[in-house]
């Protein structure tokens, strides 16, 4: 599988009414339902052989977990189920429940058990060979509530009447709050032309709304750019997907041709994405060196590096917030440790662990947290996040009902102020 971050949820410009930042609340990553598919975990595509372990030789652990007492208790539970459960019992579902429960026993919210079908759906999502409905989503990390943050023009979501700030209650028969967004979106995606049923709560409505949304191929950019004034260019990375590096390089080239002398790089509400995408962008910015590295339980280390062929030679400011996660934090941490720019905004999300998809012998699979990642200077930011150099809460001074204007964004204004001072001293 491709390395990918399913922390999903793609940041996009919106009406700003309930945003804590320039783009409304896209957290844990994601342009979740869209073809670009940032999903919810940073997976480096590891399989058993790459990690250096196999499932063989684990008999001792199995004996410990499936002790006589545990087996007796399972038999006792099955006895009660067979005697008293009011409906038919599907043994396969019970078995899957045991496997899933074993994974949940690790008390790691990123670890999951996948049935064969769920694994197939996940593979479709990871390779981007899937179709979505054209809506950006976010998930509250405490309540697990899933909210539509953006409905794209010309998308199936727009055609059927979905709106920004709609809360997704159910996807088919699945309660939206019952799982991580990265897993939920695998049920929203599907074959082109098929439909997904969504139950929606909308403020002001007396009852839930029901929508059958047809899936379609949706091609959206991961990078937006413009000139803010005659000196400062602005690049907004929405997520780190497969096309991000080439789109970033195109943006830099176009802005340079327009006379850019400094850059504002915006990763607010960017949930992350592919490790190759963020390290590719960092390779374009930073001098030679390690930009991030991972380390597993066996202390096996993998370095991701930039070379000396390309590096940016202009002042840089990075905008970030609490919804900047994983790959976005890799970027912020590298810029900070290389002392190559100024971080502006609020503390980042704090996801510094790596998940791997491990296929099982019967076609099922598990997603398992297998390593930590570290900034160039060796900091693991999991659970703590990255602090900005200039702490500044987001405020927007324009009309929130009008189209977003970067020049009325106080964090952008602060970045321009700092960059113009650096330009004047060059």
């Amino acid at each position: 599988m491709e390395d990918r971050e399913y922390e999903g949820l793609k940041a996009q410009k919106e009406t700003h009414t309930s945003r804590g930042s320039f783009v409304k609340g896209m957290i844990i990553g994601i342009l979740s339902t869209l073809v670009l598919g940032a999903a919810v975990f940073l997976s480096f595509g590891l399989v058993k052989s790459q990690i250096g372990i196999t499932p063989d030789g684990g008999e001792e652990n199995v004996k410990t977990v499936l002790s006589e007492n545990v087996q007796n208790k399972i038999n006792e539970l099955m006895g009660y189920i067979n005697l008293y459960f009011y409906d038919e019992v599907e043994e396969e579902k019970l078995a899957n429940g045991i496997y899933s429960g074993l994974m949940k026993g690790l008390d790691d919210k990123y670890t999951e058990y996948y049935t064969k079908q769920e694994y197939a759906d996940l593979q479709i999502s990871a390779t981007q060979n899937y179709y979505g409905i054209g809506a950006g989503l976010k998930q509250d990390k405490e309540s697990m509530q899933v909210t539509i943050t953006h409905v794209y023009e010309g998308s199936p979501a727009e055609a059927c009447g979905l709106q920004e700030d709609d809360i997704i209650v159910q996807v088919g028969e699945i309660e939206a709050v019952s799982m991580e967004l990265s897993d939920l979106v695998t049920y929203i995606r599907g074959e082109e032309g098929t439909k997904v049923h969504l139950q929606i709560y909308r403020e002001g409505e007396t009852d839930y709304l029901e929508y059958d949304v047809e899936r379609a191929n949706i091609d959206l950019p991961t990078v937006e750019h413009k000139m803010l004034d005659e000196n400062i260019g602005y690049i907004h990375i929405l997520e780190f997907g497969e096309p991000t590096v080439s789109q970033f390089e195109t943006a830099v080239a176009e802005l340079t041709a327009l006379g850019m002398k400094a850059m504002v790089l915006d990763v607010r509400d960017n949930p992350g994405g592919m490790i190759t995408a963020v390290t590719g962008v960092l390779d374009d910015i930073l001098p030679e060196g390690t930009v991030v590295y991972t380390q597993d339980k066996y202390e096996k280390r993998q370095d991701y590096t930039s070379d000396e062929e390309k590096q940016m030679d202009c002042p840089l400011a990075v905008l970030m917030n609490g919804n900047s996660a994983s790959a976005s934090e890799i970027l912020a941490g590298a810029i900070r440790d290389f002392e190559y720019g100024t971080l502006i905004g609020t503390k980042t999300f704090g996801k510094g662990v790596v998940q791997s998809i491990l296929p099982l012998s019967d076609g099922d699979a598990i997603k398992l947290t297998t390593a930590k990642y570290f900034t160039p200077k060796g900091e693991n930011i999991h659970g703590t996040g990255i602090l900005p150099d200039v702490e500044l809460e987001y405020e927007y001074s324009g009309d929130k009902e009008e189209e977003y204007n970067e020049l009325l964004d106080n964090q952008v204004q602060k970045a321009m102020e700092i960059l113009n001072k650096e330009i004047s001293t060059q």
Side-chain angles (χ1 to χ4, degrees), residues 20-21 23 267-269 319-324 346-349:
S21 67
V23 196
V267 293
R268 291 175 297 182
D269 302 297
L319 304 183
M320 62 190 201
N321 65 9
N323 296 335
S324 303
T346 55
K347 186 173 70 171
T348 60
F349 181 79

Side-chain angles (χ1 to χ4, degrees), residues 231-249:
N231 293 321
I232 299 175
Y234 171 83
I235 296 181
H236 180 200
I237 301 181
L238 308 169
E239 68 157 319
F240 292 97
E242 188 169 326
T244 301
V245 176
S246 62
Q247 291 176 3
F248 176 77
E249 291 172 348

Side-chain angles (χ1 to χ4, degrees), residues 78 80-91 93-94:
M78 282 303 304
Y80 281 117
I81 289 171
N82 290 331
L83 279 171
Y84 298 118
F85 187 67
Y86 79 103
D87 205 350
E88 294 293 324
V89 176
E90 295 184 40
E91 291 185 0
K93 286 187 176 181
L94 287 177

